Amino acid sequence: MDSRVHAGLTGLGAPEQNIRALLDGQTLRGVLDTQLATLTMPISVLPSVPENPFHQRQTVDRLRRLLPESEELPGCPEPPHPDFGPHLARFLASVTTVLSG
């Protein structure tokens, strides 16, 4: 997927340095794992169900290992996806619980 994104950004005229800054990283693009590991606020991870080439289960698993205090929310399709609608109430309840906790 990164090669397709790289080609698209190049086609839009983005400088190579900016493209690398966006795509390089480890668990998450543009961020080093050592940077993620310094986060001290509550973290919730929302898996995409079904997973897709941009949002893979392995990323969720790596984040959970990197941030052992994180919480995994119930998975759902990505919010802009048409299948997200039936998951909206559960998603909002999960987020509200995390924010109020």
Side-chain angles (χ1 to χ4, degrees), residues 14 21 23 29 35 76 82-83:
L23 296 181
R29 289 183 179 121
Q35 294 170 310
C76 63
D83 293 338

Side-chain angles (χ1 to χ4, degrees), residues 4-5 8 13 15 17-18 20-21 35-36 40 44-45 47 53 55 62 65 68-69 71-72 76 88 90 96:
R4 289 175 55 189
V5 172
Q17 178 181 350
N18 293 2
R20 291 280 38 107
Q35 294 170 310
L36 286 172
T40 59
S44 294
V45 180
H55 301 99
R62 288 180 69 184
R65 282 192 302 273
E69 300 299 317
E71 174 185 1
E72 182 174 333
C76 63
L88 178 61
R90 187 179 68 192
T96 302

Side-chain angles (χ1 to χ4, degrees), residues 24 73-74 85 92:
D24 286 352
L73 299 177
L92 291 175

Side-chain angles (χ1 to χ4, degrees), residues 14-94:
E16 181 65 25
Q17 178 181 350
N18 293 2
I19 295 171
R20 291 280 38 107
L22 289 171
L23 296 181
D24 286 352
Q26 294 165 330
T27 300
L28 297 179
R29 289 183 179 121
V31 183
L32 298 176
D33 285 357
T34 54
Q35 294 170 310
L36 286 172
T38 65
L39 296 174
T40 59
M41 76 280 280
I43 304 287
S44 294
V45 180
L46 177 66
S48 178
V49 177
E51 73 175 299
N52 60 61
F54 289 101
H55 301 99
Q56 299 176 15
R57 178 70 213 183
Q58 67 182 0
T59 304
V60 171
D61 295 337
R62 288 180 69 184
L63 280 170
R64 295 296 317 273
R65 282 192 302 273
L66 236 141
L67 304 164
E69 300 299 317
S70 66
E71 174 185 1
E72 182 174 333
L73 299 177
C76 63
E78 298 168 281
H81 194 278
D83 293 338
F84 177 72
H87 300 271
L88 178 61
R90 187 179 68 192
F91 170 76
L92 291 175
S94 295

